[in-house]
Amino acid sequence: MTEIPVEPPYSGVRRGPLVDGERISLTNTKGRRYSIKLKAGGQFHSTKGIINHDDLIGGQEGMVATSTLGAQHVVTRPVMEEFTVSMPRGATVIYPKDASYILMFTDIFPGARVLEAGAGSGGLSVSLLRAIGPMGMLYSYERREDFAETAAKNVHQFFGEEHPGWCLRVGDLVETYGGEKVDRVVLDMLAPWECIDVVHEALEPGGILCVYVATTTQMSLTMDTIRTHGGWVEPRCVEVNVREWHAEGLAVRPGHAGRGHTGFIIHARRLADGVQAPLKRRRPAPGAYGEDYDGPRPRGVEAGNE
């Protein structure tokens, strides 16, 4: 099979003629997109006819392919967003609208040392590895071996080769933490509050913790655990919503398919060793922390004193 050219190194970006073995996107005149992997002698079938792969291999990106029934499709290489939402998966991926926010507000930079727990299918791993580049290091932890195998395949498919800055470990973060010191931590798991102590140990002073959770219960418990720990700046939480617009002539309106809630994104910065976070002025609701409540409380709020 022809080797798939990738340039620049470890970017996942490909240039030049389309080659056997690489993944492409076919977009029809209604905007529907199909992801296919080119194979010599292969065919793409739809209700609008057949497109032979051999007619695409060797062609230029941006060409228009016409099916046997006359349907036209624009041929492009998938960008990272397309790859993330169409790649094989075992676990649900962090979608591009959230991943882009995570990269910006967690300040992932070239050469960064990043710890990721909950690698899942590798969707966010791809974004993190491109951002840190070959000089950075990403330590990814995944509890399930089958998910880790899927993540490894997806990362290799995107970059076309092994990324020199990736270390994938199978196991629970708390139990298998390797002792590495990092600049950033990203958690995507069911119970991130269980990892606050170990990620505080892993992060350099001033480092940033980012936690992605799906429910308000997870969000609340995680933020209260960070506050209770005392070694963090006051955490903040957001959710990201995206609304597309239709604009064609005088028909200007919001699109029918919006991208609403997918998860909550929590950020907090690690304080220096031995430093306690200043107490934030807060007024809990009456009865918010009763005698029967045994969960974490913000610092300064004790049982029976609220």
Side-chain angles (χ1 to χ4, degrees), residues 63-85:
M63 62 186 290
V64 175
T66 303
S67 74
T68 53
L69 295 181
Q72 293 186 318
H73 298 73
V74 176
V75 182
T76 57
R77 289 185 170 100
V79 296
M80 186 164 57
E81 175 269 333
E82 295 175 63
F83 179 86
T84 301
V85 299

Side-chain angles (χ1 to χ4, degrees), residues 26-84:
L26 298 177
T27 305
N28 65 20
T29 54
K30 291 186 177 181
R32 185 170 182 180
R33 188 171 61 203
Y34 302 90
S35 177
I36 66 171
K37 188 174 183 179
L38 292 176
K39 180 180 180 181
Q43 291 182 324
F44 167 72
H45 292 255
S46 73
T47 57
K48 300 298 183 181
I50 299 172
I51 296 176
N52 294 313
H53 290 198
D54 290 342
D55 294 336
L56 306 179
I57 296 173
Q60 295 297 317
E61 184 177 7
M63 62 186 290
V64 175
T66 303
S67 74
T68 53
L69 295 181
Q72 293 186 318
H73 298 73
V74 176
V75 182
T76 57
R77 289 185 170 100
V79 296
M80 186 164 57
E81 175 269 333
E82 295 175 63
F83 179 86
T84 301

Side-chain angles (χ1 to χ4, degrees), residues 196-244:
I196 299 304
D197 288 337
V198 70
V199 299
H200 188 272
E201 177 186 348
L203 270 172
E204 297 281 6
I208 301 175
L209 167 65
C210 176
V211 183
Y212 183 83
V213 292
T215 70
T216 54
T217 303
Q218 291 172 302
M219 178 260 287
S220 177
L221 189 51
T222 299
M223 294 185 71
D224 279 350
T225 302
I226 292 172
R227 295 188 183 105
T228 304
H229 184 280
W232 305 87
V233 174
E234 176 71 16
R236 59 189 180 86
C237 178
V238 302
E239 65 172 335
V240 180
N241 296 315
V242 175
R243 184 170 69 172
E244 295 184 359

